[in-house]
Every structure is written in structure tokens, then in C-alpha cells.
Amino acid sequence: MLLRKNFYVIRMGKAASSRVNLKHKKFIDYPFHRSKSDFTDFFLAYKCHLWIDGNNGLASLAHVFRKPVAC
């Protein structure tokens, strides 16, 4: 698990019906975060080391910044 290897894990998305039931200091449930914005979407894609995609369309941001993508 990435959290055990000291990586930050950010669940991306504009809208979600419910929060993920995971309490960890390095996990961010972004759809419910107070700093959510279009600019932050681009910034996170630019700074990430790896993008894991669930076919939601945001992987194109990672491609723009030449980040590895796992589907």
C-alpha cells in the first residue's frame, strides 16, 4: 500500500456521493477538501509521481505533464 510506503494518496474528482472511510494523515479525500479548485487539479497532476486512474477522465492531466499513468 502506498500509504505504508510514506506516499501521499489523494482521491481526485469533482463530485462524490460519499467520503471514503479511511483515516490516515497522508490520505486526502479531495472531492470534500476545502481547497478544491480547477487550479489545484492541475497543480496536483504536475507535482504527482504516479497517477492511478479509474477511467474518470482526469488521466489526461497526468499525460499533459508526462507523468506515469496506471489504469
Side-chain angles (χ1 to χ4, degrees), residues 9-12 16 18-21 27-33:
V9 174
I10 303 171
R11 174 188 173 212
M12 294 294 291
S18 62
R19 294 179 181 263
V20 173
N21 189 19
F27 174 75
I28 299 170
D29 200 3
Y30 184 69
F32 299 98
H33 198 271

Side-chain angles (χ1 to χ4, degrees), residues 12-69:
M12 294 294 291
K14 287 272 186 198
S17 59
S18 62
R19 294 179 181 263
V20 173
N21 189 19
L22 177 62
K23 301 292 183 198
H24 194 283
K25 64 182 181 180
K26 292 200 170 196
F27 174 75
I28 299 170
D29 200 3
Y30 184 69
F32 299 98
H33 198 271
R34 65 186 177 278
S35 298
K36 182 177 73 166
S37 71
D38 291 337
F39 174 78
T40 307
D41 292 349
F42 280 91
F43 178 76
L44 291 172
Y46 173 73
K47 295 300 271 184
C48 77
H49 294 284
L50 169 68
W51 192 279
I52 301 173
D53 188 54
N55 229 4
N56 61 6
L58 286 173
S60 58
L61 286 177
H63 287 292
V64 167
F65 296 113
R66 300 178 186 253
K67 302 295 180 168
V69 177

